[in-house]
Amino acid sequence: MKENRIYNFNAGPAALPLPVLEEIKDSFLNFNGSGMSITEVSHRSKWFDDVINDAIARTKRLLKLNDKFQVLFFQGGASTQFCMIPMNFLKQGQSADYVNTGTWSTKAIKEAQIQGKSVNVVASSEDKNFSYIPKDIPFNSDAVYTHITSNNTIKGTQWANFPDTKGVPLIADMSSDIMCRAFDPNPFGLIYAGAQKNIGPAGVCMVIIREDMLEMVPDSLPSMLKYTTFSAKNSMYNTPPCFAIYTIQLVMKWLEETIGGLDKMEEINRKKAGDLYSFMDSGEFYRATAEPDSRSLMNVTFRLPSEELEQAFVQKALENGFGGLKGHRSVGGCRASIYNATTPDAIESLVDFMKTFEKENG
Amino acid sequence: MKENRIYNFNAGPAALPLPVLEEIKDSFLNFNGSGMSITEVSHRSKWFDDVINDAIARTKRLLKLNDKFQVLFFQGGASTQFCMIPMNFLKQGQSADYVNTGTWSTKAIKEAQIQGKSVNVVASSEDKNFSYIPKDIPFNSDAVYTHITSNNTIKGTQWANFPDTKGVPLIADMSSDIMCRAFDPNPFGLIYAGAQKNIGPAGVCMVIIREDMLEMVPDSLPSMLKYTTFSAKNSMYNTPPCFAIYTIQLVMKWLEETIGGLDKMEEINRKKAGDLYSFMDSGEFYRATAEPDSRSLMNVTFRLPSEELEQAFVQKALENGFGGLKGHRSVGGCRASIYNATTPDAIESLVDFMKTFEKENG
């Protein structure tokens, strides 16, 4: 590969589209004729206004967001959203529904409970090690919101369709699958996504908020913990993470102009994941761990016949230029994270390698 | 200048050392032989461990921090620290002293008060538009901490010496002057600095905390708002802003290896600021706004005889390759931010330009 780059299957921070990295590199000492690096440009300048506003406009077009939605940029990752969501939306005497589908859902629930907020865990797949997405969930009609994790990076599951909460605003952590497919945004009161998996580098969290949610925010919170602070100032109440937002802008441009939008991106992602799952299903050596109807398009988790073979597989893969195939330290096994930036060519090469490894070790 | 770069006098985000930018650019598609960009490398990898640990080790050496101090990296800027400090350290019935020396001190005080915390503003320079640093301050011996802003970016003032609080831990917002000079860190319980002025890009805030302060943190806070969460996990409880921390590492390397440490950096900064102030003091056309004993080494604020001349000055400067000389929108006038990365050559060229402008318009 170019500049000795590897095939990067990291779960996050993860691969970025090569044309995006090349554009950053080329402009790094002189951004857009400013005579400065993007890291040196004032966030109060026309240059940066153009960057953030273009990132927002492209996000709105890609996700087909109407004018009721605002696109904001926070710091602190999805983990800070875990605490801000109940802090901003749940008052004394109110409660919210949470669906527990893995490590990150569990943390989101915990951060609400730490604050003494009332949380109903209306469904959980913990009984089968979070290997599936629950069905027929008894949502509460008086919940202020319903929180889900759209894709579970560690467990390799993903909601194939979003649940119908009968008008209760959905809040979704989409850190690991935002922009992987088209969906109807209208049932969502808030969508948040740490950028470092599918849309940018670590250090920025995209928040898409519907305006009715802003009306629920109490005045009494510290400025940096209120959604209204960011909404009122186009995410620039204080200095935003400029470089990370610039990278998001370039990724959105790549999605629109090179890929051709989310329908096209979804088609590519379905083909990539389909090829990998089909190959594993065709034999006994590699075993996908998620239940078939809950399989993730983004994180393909799998086991080999033994832990020794898994270790050898990860090691041999590394030697052959395939990085990041070790499963999360909390669950073991193997995982190929195949986000938007992972090319079909990378999948093809990985399947070839897996065939060879099986032949030599099966 | 190289690649048509300008002389950058922005207040923040601000100029970074050119060798740092060049190293980032050169390694951007393949960081340290990883086959990945620094933006694509896992924060749980040996590659990133080396980055963050080297950034910490260099910071400790540069500031002469003993083992009682930890160096941590947060997101959300100094503004998030404004809320975290009282949240973590001030219990019911306790109070803290704050010195108000400008816009950022005022915000720090406000974010404590929003939370219903007890704050004593023991001194303020608001009576003279924050043009000086107060003296002979009646600190309270029972304060849990004393908060100061070491350098006031907007007003152009800086504490020449830190106050003696008789053992009460000092907490300082050093966003705009950390690493500009050597100082005794031992009276400080906590130092924080948004990186985007003197040590890196926007999107990371360095926090230096003394271990006794960690004992005061209550268990009941959300994880991302507790100093102990970051302390226990070497700033990697969740994904840190990897690119920003990498840039800090390179800036610390530049400070140690190219500049030669903080005594040397201070000498250079005193010469740079001295040259600029001396030139202005030598005539009537340019008038430095801060009182002489409170003048900042980092942000040189000044006025011209009229607002029309100020506008013309900023415009003409831009045309001649000097950017960022407009004063903060809240105070007007002019400002040259001359952080560590601003070269003596940039100062010399600026003074030459100022002489010419005076000749043509004086």
Side-chain angles (χ1 to χ4, degrees), chain A residues 254-297:
Chain A
W254 172 80
L255 275 170
E256 277 199 301
E257 298 181 6
T258 305
I259 297 299
L262 294 192
D263 287 328
K264 191 71 198 168
M265 191 72 251
E266 179 172 349
E267 193 185 316
I268 296 169
N269 283 329
R270 290 201 182 280
K271 172 83 166 66
K272 280 156 48 186
D275 286 354
L276 195 46
Y277 285 119
S278 298
F279 162 67
M280 293 200 284
D281 289 345
S282 70
E284 302 287 315
F285 191 76
Y286 301 102
R287 185 174 50 80
T289 57
E291 294 194 5
D293 66 356
S294 302
R295 285 172 171 177
S296 169
L297 293 170

Short mmCIF file of all heavy atoms in Angstrom, two decimals, chain A residues 254-297:
data_model
loop_
_atom_site.label_atom_id
_atom_site.label_comp_id
_atom_site.label_asym_id
_atom_site.label_seq_id
_atom_site.Cartn_x
_atom_site.Cartn_y
_atom_site.Cartn_z
N TRP A 254 -16.23 13.80 1.46
CA TRP A 254 -15.92 12.51 0.82
C TRP A 254 -17.19 11.65 0.70
O TRP A 254 -17.45 11.05 -0.35
CB TRP A 254 -14.85 11.81 1.67
CG TRP A 254 -14.53 10.40 1.29
CD1 TRP A 254 -13.71 9.99 0.26
CD2 TRP A 254 -15.00 9.21 1.93
NE1 TRP A 254 -13.66 8.61 0.25
CE2 TRP A 254 -14.43 8.11 1.26
CE3 TRP A 254 -15.84 8.96 3.02
CZ2 TRP A 254 -14.67 6.78 1.63
CZ3 TRP A 254 -16.09 7.65 3.39
CH2 TRP A 254 -15.53 6.58 2.71
N LEU A 255 -18.00 11.65 1.75
CA LEU A 255 -19.24 10.86 1.69
C LEU A 255 -20.18 11.38 0.60
O LEU A 255 -20.79 10.59 -0.13
CB LEU A 255 -19.97 10.91 3.04
CG LEU A 255 -19.54 9.93 4.11
CD1 LEU A 255 -20.19 10.27 5.46
CD2 LEU A 255 -19.89 8.49 3.71
N GLU A 256 -20.29 12.70 0.51
CA GLU A 256 -21.19 13.26 -0.49
C GLU A 256 -20.63 13.14 -1.90
O GLU A 256 -21.32 12.69 -2.81
CB GLU A 256 -21.43 14.76 -0.20
CG GLU A 256 -22.50 15.05 0.82
CD GLU A 256 -23.02 16.49 0.72
OE1 GLU A 256 -22.18 17.41 0.87
OE2 GLU A 256 -24.23 16.66 0.50
N GLU A 257 -19.37 13.55 -2.07
CA GLU A 257 -18.85 13.75 -3.42
C GLU A 257 -18.15 12.53 -4.00
O GLU A 257 -18.19 12.31 -5.21
CB GLU A 257 -17.92 14.97 -3.44
CG GLU A 257 -18.67 16.24 -3.06
CD GLU A 257 -17.82 17.49 -3.07
OE1 GLU A 257 -16.64 17.42 -3.49
OE2 GLU A 257 -18.33 18.55 -2.64
N THR A 258 -17.50 11.75 -3.14
CA THR A 258 -16.80 10.58 -3.67
C THR A 258 -17.68 9.34 -3.59
O THR A 258 -17.81 8.60 -4.57
CB THR A 258 -15.47 10.36 -2.91
OG1 THR A 258 -14.71 11.56 -2.98
CG2 THR A 258 -14.67 9.21 -3.51
N ILE A 259 -18.28 9.12 -2.43
CA ILE A 259 -19.14 7.93 -2.26
C ILE A 259 -20.49 8.15 -2.95
O ILE A 259 -21.01 7.24 -3.60
CB ILE A 259 -19.34 7.62 -0.76
CG1 ILE A 259 -18.00 7.26 -0.11
CG2 ILE A 259 -20.36 6.49 -0.58
CD1 ILE A 259 -17.31 6.04 -0.68
N GLY A 260 -21.08 9.34 -2.77
CA GLY A 260 -22.37 9.61 -3.41
C GLY A 260 -23.56 9.50 -2.48
O GLY A 260 -24.67 9.21 -2.91
N GLY A 261 -23.33 9.71 -1.18
CA GLY A 261 -24.45 9.75 -0.24
C GLY A 261 -24.61 8.46 0.55
O GLY A 261 -23.89 7.48 0.35
N LEU A 262 -25.58 8.48 1.48
CA LEU A 262 -25.70 7.37 2.43
C LEU A 262 -26.35 6.12 1.85
O LEU A 262 -26.08 5.01 2.32
CB LEU A 262 -26.45 7.83 3.69
CG LEU A 262 -25.72 8.87 4.55
CD1 LEU A 262 -26.41 9.02 5.90
CD2 LEU A 262 -24.25 8.51 4.74
N ASP A 263 -27.22 6.27 0.84
CA ASP A 263 -27.78 5.07 0.21
C ASP A 263 -26.65 4.26 -0.43
O ASP A 263 -26.57 3.04 -0.30
CB ASP A 263 -28.83 5.44 -0.85
CG ASP A 263 -30.11 5.95 -0.21
OD1 ASP A 263 -30.46 5.49 0.89
OD2 ASP A 263 -30.77 6.83 -0.81
N LYS A 264 -25.77 4.98 -1.09
CA LYS A 264 -24.64 4.34 -1.74
C LYS A 264 -23.67 3.75 -0.70
O LYS A 264 -23.18 2.63 -0.86
CB LYS A 264 -23.94 5.40 -2.60
CG LYS A 264 -22.92 4.85 -3.54
CD LYS A 264 -23.53 4.07 -4.69
CE LYS A 264 -22.44 3.19 -5.33
NZ LYS A 264 -22.97 2.20 -6.25
N MET A 265 -23.41 4.54 0.37
CA MET A 265 -22.52 4.06 1.44
C MET A 265 -23.08 2.78 2.05
O MET A 265 -22.34 1.83 2.31
CB MET A 265 -22.38 5.16 2.52
CG MET A 265 -21.28 4.89 3.55
SD MET A 265 -19.60 5.10 2.89
CE MET A 265 -19.02 3.40 2.83
N GLU A 266 -24.39 2.75 2.27
CA GLU A 266 -25.03 1.57 2.85
C GLU A 266 -24.87 0.35 1.95
O GLU A 266 -24.57 -0.75 2.42
CB GLU A 266 -26.52 1.86 3.09
CG GLU A 266 -27.28 0.67 3.67
CD GLU A 266 -28.71 1.02 4.08
OE1 GLU A 266 -29.06 2.22 4.11
OE2 GLU A 266 -29.47 0.08 4.39
N GLU A 267 -25.04 0.58 0.65
CA GLU A 267 -24.89 -0.52 -0.31
C GLU A 267 -23.47 -1.11 -0.24
O GLU A 267 -23.29 -2.33 -0.19
CB GLU A 267 -25.17 0.07 -1.71
CG GLU A 267 -25.36 -0.91 -2.82
CD GLU A 267 -25.50 -0.16 -4.16
OE1 GLU A 267 -26.23 0.87 -4.22
OE2 GLU A 267 -24.83 -0.58 -5.13
N ILE A 268 -22.49 -0.21 -0.17
CA ILE A 268 -21.10 -0.67 -0.07
C ILE A 268 -20.88 -1.41 1.25
O ILE A 268 -20.27 -2.48 1.30
CB ILE A 268 -20.13 0.54 -0.19
CG1 ILE A 268 -20.25 1.18 -1.57
CG2 ILE A 268 -18.69 0.12 0.10
CD1 ILE A 268 -19.53 2.54 -1.70
N ASN A 269 -21.42 -0.84 2.35
CA ASN A 269 -21.22 -1.47 3.65
C ASN A 269 -21.90 -2.85 3.73
O ASN A 269 -21.36 -3.77 4.33
CB ASN A 269 -21.76 -0.56 4.77
CG ASN A 269 -20.81 0.59 5.07
OD1 ASN A 269 -19.59 0.45 4.94
ND2 ASN A 269 -21.35 1.73 5.49
N ARG A 270 -23.09 -2.96 3.12
CA ARG A 270 -23.79 -4.26 3.15
C ARG A 270 -23.00 -5.31 2.38
O ARG A 270 -22.91 -6.47 2.77
CB ARG A 270 -25.22 -4.13 2.58
CG ARG A 270 -26.14 -3.36 3.50
CD ARG A 270 -27.62 -3.61 3.26
NE ARG A 270 -28.38 -2.78 4.18
CZ ARG A 270 -28.61 -3.07 5.47
NH1 ARG A 270 -28.15 -4.21 5.98
NH2 ARG A 270 -29.29 -2.24 6.24
N LYS A 271 -22.41 -4.88 1.28
CA LYS A 271 -21.59 -5.81 0.49
C LYS A 271 -20.34 -6.23 1.28
O LYS A 271 -20.00 -7.42 1.34
CB LYS A 271 -21.19 -5.10 -0.82
CG LYS A 271 -20.17 -5.85 -1.69
CD LYS A 271 -20.85 -6.89 -2.56
CE LYS A 271 -19.94 -7.41 -3.69
NZ LYS A 271 -18.78 -8.18 -3.20
N LYS A 272 -19.67 -5.25 1.91
CA LYS A 272 -18.44 -5.55 2.68
C LYS A 272 -18.75 -6.53 3.82
O LYS A 272 -18.10 -7.58 3.95
CB LYS A 272 -17.87 -4.25 3.28
CG LYS A 272 -17.07 -3.38 2.32
CD LYS A 272 -17.01 -1.89 2.74
CE LYS A 272 -16.65 -1.66 4.18
NZ LYS A 272 -16.75 -0.22 4.58
N ALA A 273 -19.74 -6.18 4.65
CA ALA A 273 -20.08 -7.04 5.80
C ALA A 273 -20.61 -8.38 5.31
O ALA A 273 -20.24 -9.44 5.84
CB ALA A 273 -21.12 -6.35 6.67
N GLY A 274 -21.43 -8.35 4.25
CA GLY A 274 -22.00 -9.58 3.69
C GLY A 274 -20.91 -10.55 3.25
O GLY A 274 -20.95 -11.74 3.55
N ASP A 275 -19.91 -10.02 2.55
CA ASP A 275 -18.81 -10.87 2.08
C ASP A 275 -18.08 -11.53 3.25
O ASP A 275 -17.72 -12.72 3.18
CB ASP A 275 -17.81 -10.04 1.26
CG ASP A 275 -18.35 -9.69 -0.11
OD1 ASP A 275 -19.45 -10.17 -0.47
OD2 ASP A 275 -17.69 -8.90 -0.82
N LEU A 276 -17.87 -10.78 4.31
CA LEU A 276 -17.11 -11.30 5.44
C LEU A 276 -17.94 -12.33 6.23
O LEU A 276 -17.45 -13.44 6.53
CB LEU A 276 -16.69 -10.12 6.34
CG LEU A 276 -15.61 -10.33 7.39
CD1 LEU A 276 -14.41 -11.08 6.83
CD2 LEU A 276 -15.17 -8.97 7.93
N TYR A 277 -19.19 -12.00 6.51
CA TYR A 277 -20.05 -12.96 7.23
C TYR A 277 -20.28 -14.23 6.40
O TYR A 277 -20.24 -15.34 6.92
CB TYR A 277 -21.39 -12.31 7.60
CG TYR A 277 -21.34 -11.31 8.75
CD1 TYR A 277 -21.70 -9.98 8.55
CD2 TYR A 277 -20.96 -11.71 10.04
CE1 TYR A 277 -21.68 -9.05 9.59
CE2 TYR A 277 -20.93 -10.78 11.09
CZ TYR A 277 -21.29 -9.46 10.86
OH TYR A 277 -21.27 -8.55 11.91
N SER A 278 -20.54 -14.05 5.09
CA SER A 278 -20.80 -15.22 4.23
C SER A 278 -19.61 -16.17 4.24
O SER A 278 -19.77 -17.39 4.32
CB SER A 278 -21.03 -14.78 2.79
OG SER A 278 -22.13 -13.97 2.69
N PHE A 279 -18.42 -15.57 4.13
CA PHE A 279 -17.23 -16.42 4.15
C PHE A 279 -17.16 -17.21 5.46
O PHE A 279 -16.91 -18.43 5.46
CB PHE A 279 -15.96 -15.59 3.96
CG PHE A 279 -14.73 -16.31 4.40
CD1 PHE A 279 -14.29 -17.44 3.70
CD2 PHE A 279 -14.03 -15.91 5.53
CE1 PHE A 279 -13.17 -18.15 4.14
CE2 PHE A 279 -12.91 -16.60 5.97
CZ PHE A 279 -12.48 -17.73 5.27
N MET A 280 -17.39 -16.54 6.59
CA MET A 280 -17.29 -17.24 7.88
C MET A 280 -18.38 -18.30 8.01
O MET A 280 -18.15 -19.39 8.53
CB MET A 280 -17.37 -16.23 9.02
CG MET A 280 -16.14 -15.31 9.05
SD MET A 280 -15.86 -14.50 10.63
CE MET A 280 -17.12 -13.26 10.55
N ASP A 281 -19.58 -17.97 7.54
CA ASP A 281 -20.70 -18.92 7.63
C ASP A 281 -20.48 -20.16 6.75
O ASP A 281 -21.08 -21.21 6.99
CB ASP A 281 -22.01 -18.24 7.18
CG ASP A 281 -22.50 -17.21 8.19
OD1 ASP A 281 -22.00 -17.21 9.34
OD2 ASP A 281 -23.39 -16.39 7.84
N SER A 282 -19.60 -20.02 5.75
CA SER A 282 -19.42 -21.12 4.79
C SER A 282 -18.54 -22.23 5.36
O SER A 282 -18.40 -23.29 4.75
CB SER A 282 -18.79 -20.58 3.50
OG SER A 282 -17.44 -20.20 3.75
N GLY A 283 -17.92 -22.01 6.51
CA GLY A 283 -17.08 -23.05 7.11
C GLY A 283 -17.29 -23.14 8.61
O GLY A 283 -18.19 -22.51 9.15
N GLU A 284 -16.43 -23.90 9.29
CA GLU A 284 -16.58 -24.10 10.74
C GLU A 284 -15.48 -23.39 11.52
O GLU A 284 -15.56 -23.25 12.74
CB GLU A 284 -16.48 -25.60 11.08
CG GLU A 284 -17.49 -26.48 10.36
CD GLU A 284 -18.88 -26.30 10.95
OE1 GLU A 284 -19.01 -26.29 12.19
OE2 GLU A 284 -19.84 -26.13 10.16
N PHE A 285 -14.41 -22.98 10.82
CA PHE A 285 -13.20 -22.49 11.49
C PHE A 285 -13.44 -21.13 12.16
O PHE A 285 -13.08 -20.92 13.31
CB PHE A 285 -12.08 -22.39 10.46
CG PHE A 285 -10.72 -22.15 11.07
CD1 PHE A 285 -10.03 -23.19 11.70
CD2 PHE A 285 -10.11 -20.90 10.98
CE1 PHE A 285 -8.77 -22.98 12.25
CE2 PHE A 285 -8.84 -20.69 11.53
CZ PHE A 285 -8.18 -21.73 12.16
N TYR A 286 -14.06 -20.20 11.44
CA TYR A 286 -14.38 -18.87 11.98
C TYR A 286 -15.86 -18.84 12.35
O TYR A 286 -16.70 -19.26 11.55
CB TYR A 286 -14.11 -17.79 10.93
CG TYR A 286 -12.66 -17.74 10.45
CD1 TYR A 286 -12.29 -18.29 9.23
CD2 TYR A 286 -11.67 -17.14 11.23
CE1 TYR A 286 -10.98 -18.27 8.78
CE2 TYR A 286 -10.35 -17.11 10.79
CZ TYR A 286 -10.01 -17.67 9.57
OH TYR A 286 -8.71 -17.64 9.14
N ARG A 287 -16.18 -18.35 13.55
CA ARG A 287 -17.57 -18.36 14.00
C ARG A 287 -17.97 -16.95 14.45
O ARG A 287 -17.46 -16.43 15.44
CB ARG A 287 -17.72 -19.35 15.16
CG ARG A 287 -19.14 -19.56 15.65
CD ARG A 287 -19.20 -20.68 16.72
NE ARG A 287 -18.19 -20.48 17.78
CZ ARG A 287 -18.33 -19.64 18.82
NH1 ARG A 287 -19.41 -18.91 18.94
NH2 ARG A 287 -17.38 -19.55 19.73
N ALA A 288 -18.88 -16.33 13.69
CA ALA A 288 -19.38 -15.00 14.07
C ALA A 288 -20.16 -15.12 15.38
O ALA A 288 -20.93 -16.07 15.55
CB ALA A 288 -20.26 -14.44 12.96
N THR A 289 -19.94 -14.18 16.30
CA THR A 289 -20.52 -14.34 17.65
C THR A 289 -21.91 -13.72 17.79
O THR A 289 -22.66 -14.10 18.69
CB THR A 289 -19.61 -13.71 18.72
OG1 THR A 289 -19.41 -12.33 18.41
CG2 THR A 289 -18.27 -14.41 18.78
N ALA A 290 -22.28 -12.75 16.97
CA ALA A 290 -23.59 -12.12 17.11
C ALA A 290 -24.67 -12.96 16.44
O ALA A 290 -24.40 -13.66 15.46
CB ALA A 290 -23.57 -10.72 16.49
N GLU A 291 -25.88 -12.91 16.98
CA GLU A 291 -26.98 -13.64 16.34
C GLU A 291 -27.23 -13.02 14.96
O GLU A 291 -27.14 -11.80 14.79
CB GLU A 291 -28.23 -13.57 17.22
CG GLU A 291 -28.01 -14.33 18.52
CD GLU A 291 -29.28 -14.60 19.31
OE1 GLU A 291 -30.38 -14.29 18.82
OE2 GLU A 291 -29.14 -15.13 20.43
N PRO A 292 -27.53 -13.88 13.96
CA PRO A 292 -27.57 -13.40 12.57
C PRO A 292 -28.44 -12.15 12.35
O PRO A 292 -28.01 -11.23 11.66
CB PRO A 292 -28.13 -14.61 11.80
CG PRO A 292 -27.60 -15.78 12.58
CD PRO A 292 -27.63 -15.35 14.03
N ASP A 293 -29.60 -12.07 12.98
CA ASP A 293 -30.44 -10.89 12.70
C ASP A 293 -29.98 -9.64 13.46
O ASP A 293 -30.60 -8.58 13.34
CB ASP A 293 -31.92 -11.19 12.97
CG ASP A 293 -32.19 -11.45 14.44
OD1 ASP A 293 -31.24 -11.48 15.26
OD2 ASP A 293 -33.37 -11.63 14.80
N SER A 294 -28.96 -9.77 14.28
CA SER A 294 -28.45 -8.63 15.04
C SER A 294 -27.02 -8.26 14.65
O SER A 294 -26.38 -7.45 15.32
CB SER A 294 -28.49 -8.94 16.54
OG SER A 294 -29.81 -9.25 16.96
N ARG A 295 -26.52 -8.86 13.60
CA ARG A 295 -25.12 -8.64 13.23
C ARG A 295 -24.86 -7.19 12.81
O ARG A 295 -25.65 -6.60 12.08
CB ARG A 295 -24.74 -9.56 12.07
CG ARG A 295 -24.53 -10.99 12.49
CD ARG A 295 -24.34 -11.86 11.26
NE ARG A 295 -23.93 -13.21 11.62
CZ ARG A 295 -23.76 -14.19 10.72
NH1 ARG A 295 -23.94 -13.94 9.43
NH2 ARG A 295 -23.40 -15.38 11.12
N SER A 296 -23.72 -6.69 13.22
CA SER A 296 -23.33 -5.33 12.91
C SER A 296 -22.72 -5.23 11.52
O SER A 296 -21.96 -6.11 11.10
CB SER A 296 -22.31 -4.84 13.94
OG SER A 296 -21.73 -3.63 13.53
N LEU A 297 -23.04 -4.15 10.83
CA LEU A 297 -22.37 -3.86 9.55
C LEU A 297 -20.97 -3.29 9.78
O LEU A 297 -20.19 -3.18 8.84
CB LEU A 297 -23.18 -2.83 8.76
CG LEU A 297 -24.55 -3.24 8.24
CD1 LEU A 297 -25.29 -2.02 7.69
CD2 LEU A 297 -24.39 -4.30 7.15
#
